[in-house]
Amino acid sequence: MARKSAQIFTSIWNLRGDFRNLSEGAQRLYLLILTQPGLSHCGVLSLTPTGGALFSPTSTPEGIAEALDELQRERYVSVDTTTSEVMVRTFFKHDGLLRIPNMVRAMARDFECIQSDDLQQQVAEALPQGFGETFSAGFEADFPPAIQRRFRLGNDQPLNLGKEQPQAFGCGDRGLGLGVGEGLDLGVRGCGGKGLSTGFDAFWDAYPRHVGKLDARHAWDRAVKRVKPKVLIDGATRFANDPNLPLDKNFIPHPSTWLNQGRWDDEPLPPRVVYSRSKPDRGTDAMHSLHQRYSAETAAES
């Protein structure tokens, strides 16, 4: 279920608060992010390269980038420019969703939608240790392991999500540089509730056959519950760039079929069989031999 409200306390305007010291553009952008329906139950919002729906007609890419960079420097948000996602750092502290069972389940679902390993790590670390102590035993059984480790007291093993080293642009003490927001416009591709279609458009553009889009979207929603959207997009890109891809698109599976069969992990296609017109044809050769034999026998009889 998509979020219908945002928890913003009036104390944000406290005279002694840091928020008042932000520029007008940074304040506005932060409030925009917090109030987007697409903000997930993990406090993560997807960004699109051609968005802009969240801004006024007078917004400029330069102004947005400057405001986003300021919010990161002041540790209000974290941004992964590789996956185009932004995370509200204090989301769990102020939103109150961790007290509501259905919201906790939604948070666990949305956690698996986060494409960035770095932001996924930060979201897990932002969860208070033992936040689920009041819930019934086994409540977290289907949750991702990283959420389970934070759910109960005494499960505070070190978190180590993802196979790659953390990105260089994290937040605050991770060395965020100037201009990190360049080229990013906020979109509305949130991952909360039914918003599992995050990244579908990128997959659709990458896949080499465009048929059955509605079926493909349903198949995508099922697939992203099993793997990250980036895995599907990368798989579709590899498939489209395979040098042995059938030339006749009728022999390329529908995108929904490709997704339903989990073919993003397929090996490269086998070499394409090329038939040459100059290759001898056994049937033609046999007829030619028979004709020569008949001609020779006819000539001998005459």
Side-chain angles (χ1 to χ4, degrees), residues 109-121:
R109 288 195 302 269
D110 289 354
F111 182 81
E112 296 186 303
C113 292
I114 302 172
Q115 299 182 50
S116 166
D117 290 333
D118 187 39
L119 293 188
Q120 207 173 53
Q121 176 102 15

Side-chain angles (χ1 to χ4, degrees), residues 272-285:
R272 188 186 300 122
V273 177
V274 179
Y275 295 97
S276 173
R277 293 183 179 181
S278 61
K279 183 177 180 179
D281 185 276
R282 292 183 178 181
T284 302
D285 289 348

Side-chain angles (χ1 to χ4, degrees), residues 14-235:
N14 191 301
L15 289 175
R16 293 173 295 177
D18 295 333
F19 190 75
R20 289 175 61 94
N21 295 326
L22 294 176
S23 67
E24 181 180 356
Q27 290 177 353
R28 181 175 183 275
L29 180 57
Y30 187 69
L31 296 177
L32 276 173
I33 293 173
L34 280 176
T35 54
Q36 287 310 302
L39 185 69
S40 80
H41 293 87
C42 291
V44 175
L45 181 70
S46 294
L47 306 171
T48 61
T50 57
L54 312 187
F55 308 109
S56 73
T58 59
S59 297
T60 64
E62 294 79 13
I64 296 167
E66 183 177 347
L68 186 60
D69 185 61
E70 181 179 351
L71 289 175
Q72 291 187 98
R73 288 199 313 270
E74 300 302 324
R75 299 173 61 81
Y76 281 88
V77 301
S78 296
V79 171
D80 188 326
T81 55
T82 301
T83 61
S84 297
E85 294 170 301
V86 60
M87 168 201 169
V88 178
R89 291 174 54 87
T90 58
F91 181 76
F92 292 133
K93 180 179 179 181
H94 299 301
D95 191 85
L97 64 82
L98 296 181
R99 298 190 298 268
I100 307 171
N102 285 342
M103 294 295 98
V104 172
R105 292 190 182 96
M107 179 272 294
R109 288 195 302 269
D110 289 354
F111 182 81
E112 296 186 303
C113 292
I114 302 172
Q115 299 182 50
S116 166
D117 290 333
D118 187 39
L119 293 188
Q120 207 173 53
Q121 176 102 15
Q122 292 187 52
V123 167
E125 291 175 347
L127 288 167
Q129 187 66 51
F131 73 91
E133 278 295 310
T134 60
F135 291 84
S136 59
F139 182 89
E140 74 278 21
D142 296 330
F143 289 0
I147 303 297
Q148 292 183 14
R149 285 193 287 269
R150 308 292 288 187
F151 200 78
R152 304 288 180 185
L153 293 173
N155 290 341
D156 51 345
Q157 300 96 332
L159 294 171
N160 185 17
L161 306 180
K163 299 179 181 178
E164 301 177 356
Q165 293 297 319
Q167 304 292 340
F169 38 74
C171 54
D173 55 350
R174 297 199 180 192
L176 181 67
L178 293 174
V180 76
E182 293 178 359
L184 294 178
D185 293 330
L186 286 176
V188 290
R189 298 183 304 150
C191 193
K194 295 184 179 180
L196 294 175
S197 293
T198 300
F200 173 77
D201 290 339
F203 165 80
W204 182 258
D205 291 340
Y207 195 78
R209 188 179 182 188
H210 294 168
V211 291
K213 189 170 185 177
L214 182 59
D215 289 340
R217 186 178 292 275
H218 292 325
W220 168 273
D221 288 347
R222 290 189 293 270
V224 294
K225 294 178 182 179
R226 300 160 55 191
V227 298
K228 290 185 178 182
K230 185 176 185 301
V231 173
L232 305 179
I233 297 170
D234 290 348

